[in-house]
């Protein structure tokens, strides 16, 4: 398929930077360090913001659901999680690099220790938020942990959004890491982030990687863009057909544009 059918580079700006539209979905033209700098910069001027960390699954969901598309349009940044998005950007002559959830969390937390930006962990498996706080403060003694808040595996409509907003605001958090699966984390961030003074970042499985509950792919596979292969090999019956379907859907939606 021709690249032009997949991409539409806009002349506008996606909140704080240029975007590459992949089949219509905006993805920020950014790399890991650029994303980290932007997030830490926002901490100096606190207001409610949210960041979508975008992989192929989320991209297709945005193409299939108007609300998800709107969430991406209104996001302050949409980082390229999957290497296919990065390769597409580079094929268009853009300086893009992978900014996946696990790497973004690691770098922002490390830099936040010196920058004085407090961290909050929202969602994840029972007890994982507390364990993440303990692990990161052991690594960075000066890191400020604002708190954590567990959420049940349930539709967003079942959450007490007012209580979550009050909890985040009372904590004084600068960055809120959201460890829910897509699309729940995006739906939640869209509904509550603007009502706080924190930057929300939806990182999904990054909670499990950093807590040690789930083993991540070897670094060489991460570097060459094969982390998805490692995930498929871990659960081939579930993830194999899913990835094939996602690729077929992306091609179909791109061809229609």
């Amino acid at each position: 398929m021709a690249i032009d059918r997949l991409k539409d580079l806009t002349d506008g700006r996606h909140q704080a930077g240029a975007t590459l539209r992949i089949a219509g979905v905006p993805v920020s033209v950014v790399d890991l360090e650029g994303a980290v700098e932007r997030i830490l910069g926002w901490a100096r001027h606190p207001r409610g913001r949210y960041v979508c960390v975008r992989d192929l699954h989320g991209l297709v969901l945005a193409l299939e659901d108007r609300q998800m598309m709107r969430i991406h349009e209104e996001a302050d940044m949409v980082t390229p999680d999957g290497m296919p998005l990065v390769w597409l950007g580079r094929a268009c002559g853009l300086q893009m690099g992978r900014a996946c959830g696990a790497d973004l969390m690691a770098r922002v937390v490390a830099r936040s220790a010196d920058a004085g930006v407090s961290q909050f962990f929202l969602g994840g498996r029972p007890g994982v938020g507390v364990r993440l706080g303990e692990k990161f403060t052991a690594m960075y003694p000066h890191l400020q942990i604002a708190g954590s808040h567990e959420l049940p595996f349930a539709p967003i409509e079942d959450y007490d959004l007012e209580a979550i907003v009050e909890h985040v605001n009372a904590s004084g958090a600068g960055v809120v890491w959201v460890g829910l699966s897509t699309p729940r984390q995006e739906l939640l961030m869209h509904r509550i982030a603007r009502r706080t003074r924190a930057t929300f970042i939806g990182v999904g499985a990054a909670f499990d990687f950093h807590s040690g509950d789930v083993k991540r792919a070897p670094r060489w596979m991460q570097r060459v863009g094969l982390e998805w292969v490692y995930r498929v090999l871990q659960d081939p019956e579930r993830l194999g057909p899913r990835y094939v379907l996602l690729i077929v859907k992306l091609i179909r939606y791109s061809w229609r544009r």
Side-chain angles (χ1 to χ4, degrees):
M1 178 182 298
I3 288 178
D4 288 342
R5 284 199 175 274
L6 282 171
K7 63 91 177 176
D8 176 19
L9 182 62
T10 67
D11 293 327
R13 301 181 68 80
H14 187 255
Q15 297 293 327
T19 63
L20 173 71
R21 287 189 175 270
I22 301 178
V25 182
V27 178
S28 301
V29 178
V30 70
D31 59 12
L32 178 61
E33 291 305 317
V36 171
E37 289 293 342
R38 195 176 298 180
I39 291 166
L40 293 178
W42 289 338
R44 292 191 289 270
H45 306 282
R47 66 176 177 83
R49 299 177 171 89
Y50 69 91
V51 176
C52 297
V53 179
R54 196 67 291 132
D55 59 2
L56 184 58
H57 175 224
L59 190 78
V60 171
L61 282 179
L63 291 170
E64 295 180 332
D65 185 274
R66 289 184 178 180
Q67 185 176 18
M68 279 292 286
M69 179 66 83
R70 178 186 174 191
I71 289 172
H72 285 73
E73 293 282 2
E74 297 180 3
D76 294 85
M77 182 165 55
V78 179
T79 71
D81 179 302
M83 282 305 297
L85 308 187
V86 174
W87 290 330
L88 180 59
R90 291 175 180 174
C92 298
L94 303 173
Q95 293 185 343
M96 293 177 68
R98 189 182 185 207
C100 69
D103 293 341
L104 195 60
M105 177 182 275
R107 291 294 297 141
V108 170
V109 166
R111 295 278 303 279
S112 292
D114 292 330
V117 179
S118 59
Q119 315 292 299
F120 190 101
F121 305 101
L122 180 61
R125 304 184 191 197
V128 72
V130 173
R131 286 191 285 123
L132 284 171
E134 292 172 348
K135 175 182 178 178
F136 285 133
T137 51
M139 296 171 63
Y140 311 106
H142 298 298
L143 180 68
Q144 300 174 23
I145 301 297
S148 63
H149 186 72
E150 294 182 8
L151 293 172
F153 185 79
I156 300 301
E157 290 72 21
D158 293 347
Y159 292 162
D160 187 343
L161 300 184
E162 291 296 332
I164 297 173
V165 169
E166 290 178 7
H167 198 160
V168 171
N169 284 334
S171 75
V175 173
V176 177
W177 300 100
V178 186
L180 302 174
S181 58
T182 295
R184 287 193 303 142
Q185 62 192 17
E186 286 80 14
L187 292 168
L188 180 63
M189 293 190 300
H190 186 253
R191 294 192 186 188
I192 70 174
R194 305 293 190 219
R195 300 165 61 188
T196 73
R197 291 171 61 81
T199 296
F200 285 65
I201 310 172
V203 292
F207 275 40
D208 295 330
F209 292 144
H210 284 295
S211 66
D213 290 340
V214 175
K215 186 177 180 181
R216 195 177 177 193
R219 288 194 176 276
W220 72 266
M221 296 187 80
Q222 297 175 36
R223 288 194 297 267
V224 299
L226 292 178
E227 188 164 9
W228 66 275
V229 174
Y230 184 83
R231 294 191 61 195
V232 170
L233 291 175
Q234 287 182 313
D235 192 356
E237 292 186 2
R238 182 177 68 90
L239 295 180
R242 172 178 165 181
Y243 273 92
V244 171
L245 181 60
L246 289 173
I247 293 171
V248 170
K249 284 185 175 182
L250 179 60
I251 292 173
R252 184 182 67 190
Y253 284 118
S254 301
W255 190 260
R256 287 178 179 177
R257 289 185 59 81

